[in-house]
């Protein structure tokens, strides 16, 4: 999947401007799904989700990959075609409430995934997982340098995923397909 750095003035900014579209895009980044699949997962009416799916389709964020017949109806399945990384400069152009909302949505999703992993006892399976919580003292230069390090780490993680998917799809699995979650948070905290 293509990683696209985009300006907040583009179609992707419109896609990210509504929480249902954000959640639908997160689901479609993970797997192929229909509006009815997404509506069940989000516990929302299908009509509402379909509206937002059509918006994502029109904005070029997703594509239709399959059509199937279910109980006399036609159901369309979609997948994400774009993953977005909004850069530091572009964050400056976003309204404060949009920045807060985006960070809050990502944190809530990450914390829910972590909770599910704990409850599902997935954390005990691999000794090479990583979890850390580190309080840092930085100046402005250090803050910006760490931002670049984290962005480079994310971009490399996405490249590794693409390489892995190519091997999996070529039948070079050599074991089971591993699903993982990468959550990186870096934010200004209260002084202690």
């Amino acid at each position: 999947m293509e990683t696209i750095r985009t300006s907040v003035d583009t179609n992707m900014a419109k896609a990210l401007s509504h929480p249902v579209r954000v959640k639908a895009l997160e689901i479609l980044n993970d797997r192929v799904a229909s509006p009815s699949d997404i509506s069940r997962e989000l516990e929302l009416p299908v009509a509402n989700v379909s509206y937002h799916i059509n918006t994502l389709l029109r904005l070029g964020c997703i594509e239709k990959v399959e059509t199937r017949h279910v109980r006399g109806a036609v159901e369309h399945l979609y997948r994400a075609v774009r993953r977005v990384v909004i850069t530091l400069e572009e964050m400056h152009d976003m309204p404060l409430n949009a920045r807060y909302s985006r960070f809050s949505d990502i944190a809530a999703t990450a914390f829910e995934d972590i909770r599910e992993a704990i409850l599902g006892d997935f954390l005990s399976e691999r000794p090479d997982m990583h979890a850390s919580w580190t309080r840092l003292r930085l100046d402005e230069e250090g803050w910006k340098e760490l931002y670049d390090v984290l962005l480079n780490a994310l971009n490399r993680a996405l490249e590794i995923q693409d390489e892995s998917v190519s091997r999996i799809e070529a039948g070079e699995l050599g074991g089971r397909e591993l699903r993982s979650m990468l959550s990186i948070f870096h934010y200004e905290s209260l002084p202690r």
Side-chain angles (χ1 to χ4, degrees):
M1 177 183 314
E2 179 181 12
T3 299
I4 299 190
R5 286 182 187 82
T6 184
S7 166
V8 292
D9 296 328
T10 66
N11 287 346
M12 189 53 73
K14 293 176 189 171
L16 298 176
S17 68
H18 196 283
V20 172
R21 287 195 291 270
V22 170
K23 296 218 179 285
L25 195 54
E26 288 170 356
I27 291 168
L28 295 173
N29 266 290
D30 189 45
R31 68 182 185 283
V32 171
S34 70
S36 61
D37 297 332
I38 296 168
S39 70
R40 277 191 297 278
E41 186 167 335
L42 299 180
E43 299 178 351
L44 293 170
V46 176
N48 291 11
V49 172
S50 292
Y51 169 81
H52 292 293
I53 291 297
N54 286 331
T55 301
L56 290 171
L57 186 63
R58 182 175 44 79
L59 294 172
C61 300
I62 63 173
E63 66 182 0
K64 184 170 29 171
V65 293
E66 186 181 338
T67 301
R68 64 184 178 201
H69 295 280
V70 179
R71 293 183 297 272
V74 176
E75 186 172 61
H76 303 291
L77 290 107
Y78 301 90
R79 72 172 171 207
V81 295
R82 298 174 69 189
R83 185 181 304 272
V84 176
V85 176
I86 299 174
T87 65
L88 179 63
E89 294 78 22
E90 293 156 348
M91 283 293 253
H92 286 292
D93 295 334
M94 292 177 79
L96 182 58
N97 63 340
R99 277 185 266 161
Y100 174 80
S101 177
R102 189 69 190 124
F103 188 90
S104 177
D105 288 346
I106 291 170
T109 301
F111 296 148
E112 179 62 21
D113 283 342
I114 292 166
R115 187 183 74 77
E116 288 176 7
I118 291 168
L119 293 175
D121 202 27
F122 291 107
L123 298 183
S124 62
E125 293 196 16
R126 294 196 65 93
D128 56 352
M129 66 177 176
H130 175 85
S132 60
W133 180 74
T134 307
R135 201 171 287 284
L136 302 171
R137 291 179 64 196
L138 303 171
D139 62 4
E140 278 298 320
E141 182 178 338
W143 182 279
K144 290 174 182 164
E145 186 176 343
L146 185 54
Y147 175 88
D148 290 339
V149 166
L150 295 174
L151 185 59
N152 289 334
L154 173 61
N155 286 331
R156 181 61 187 130
L158 292 170
E159 290 171 1
I160 291 168
Q161 174 183 254
D162 291 344
E163 294 162 5
S164 294
V165 168
S166 293
R167 288 190 298 270
I168 290 166
E169 291 178 352
E172 302 171 17
L173 196 53
R176 66 185 176 105
E177 179 178 340
L178 304 171
R179 292 294 184 135
S180 70
M181 180 60 64
L182 173 63
S183 301
I184 302 171
F185 292 95
H186 180 236
Y187 53 94
E188 192 169 356
S189 65
L190 295 171
R192 303 222 182 231

